[in-house]
Amino acid sequence: AVRIRCALEELGPIYVKFGQILSTRQDLLPDDIALELARLQDDVPPFPGSIATAQIEAAFGKPVTEVFRDFDETPLASASIAQVHAATLQSGESVVVKVIHEGVEDVVKADLELMMQLAQALEEHGNLPGIRPVQVVEEFQHTLLREINFQNELHNLERFNRNFADDPTVRFPTPF
C-alpha cells in the first residue's frame, strides 16, 4: 500500500489526484490500500517556496516584495494541484495565496491523454462488465481541467458570496 502511494506521488499531480479519488472508493480497494491512499488527501509533499515566489513574480511582473508586504515561503498546506502560503498585502490585510504547481497544466494534459489511451484499450480488449473506463477518464478529465483553472474557483467563490450575502451565519473568503 505504501509503495502504491509513493509511486502515485512520484508520477505526479494527476496520479495523486487519481489516488485521492480512489481512496474514497473503499468498496473497490482493500482496506490497507484505501487507508494509505487517503494520506494523499492531506499529506502531499510541498514544492519549494522559492518556486512559489518565482511564479508569483512572473504572474505579477514585479518582485514579490512589491506585491506583498510579507510572503511566507513555507507553505501552510500542499495538495496535488497547488499549495497555499500566508501573506500580508501592502494594505496590511492578511491573506492566503494559492499557487499552482509549476508546469502542472502541461503535465495534466499529457497524463490525461495517456490515461484515455489506456482506458480505450481496456474497453476494447478487457473484460470489464459494468465498468466503462473511457467514461471514468472523461469525468476525471472534466473535473481536473476545471480544478486547475483558478478562474473557475474565483467565479464559484464570487457566486457563493452573492448567494449567501444576506445570511450572517455563512462566510466565505474575500478573493483578491
Side-chain angles (χ1 to χ4, degrees):
V2 171
R3 287 179 27 205
I4 291 170
R5 178 188 50 80
C6 290
L8 292 174
E9 287 176 343
E10 278 196 39
L11 286 168
I14 191 169
Y15 296 94
V16 169
K17 182 58 72 179
F18 190 65
Q20 290 171 339
I21 292 168
L22 277 178
S23 75
T24 67
R25 295 300 313 265
Q26 295 183 356
D27 56 321
L28 299 176
L29 299 172
D31 290 342
D32 63 327
I33 293 175
L35 285 171
E36 189 63 32
L37 293 182
R39 290 188 58 202
L40 295 171
Q41 299 288 352
D42 58 6
D43 195 17
V44 177
F47 56 87
S50 58
I51 292 175
T53 298
Q55 285 183 249
I56 291 167
E57 291 177 344
F60 284 93
K62 54 186 164 184
V64 74
T65 54
E66 289 181 25
V67 180
F68 301 105
R69 182 186 297 174
D70 182 52
F71 179 80
D72 189 349
E73 284 196 349
T74 303
L76 295 170
S78 182
S80 58
I81 302 298
Q83 65 189 34
V84 292
H85 294 262
T88 306
L89 297 176
Q90 297 296 350
S91 65
E93 291 178 86
S94 294
V95 296
V96 175
V97 181
K98 189 170 184 178
V99 182
I100 197 164
H101 283 268
E102 187 177 39
V104 77
E105 288 184 58
D106 293 335
V107 170
V108 164
K109 289 176 182 174
D111 286 348
L112 283 169
E113 189 175 312
L114 177 60
M115 284 181 128
M116 183 57 76
Q117 291 171 359
L118 290 170
Q120 289 167 339
L122 275 173
E123 270 192 21
E124 229 176 273
H125 304 293
N127 183 14
L128 306 167
I131 299 175
R132 296 184 296 193
V134 169
Q135 183 180 3
V136 170
V137 172
E138 284 173 346
E139 288 179 29
F140 183 58
Q141 178 177 2
H142 175 74
T143 301
L144 198 55
L145 291 177
R146 286 186 54 80
E147 188 173 326
I148 64 174
N149 181 343
F150 288 173
Q151 289 300 311
N152 289 322
E153 188 171 344
L154 172 65
H155 295 307
N156 289 336
L157 186 56
E158 290 170 339
R159 186 176 73 237
F160 283 129
N161 273 316
R162 281 191 310 274
N163 290 345
F164 290 94
D166 297 330
D167 187 340
T169 65
V170 179
R171 290 182 36 160
F172 294 97
T174 302
F176 290 87

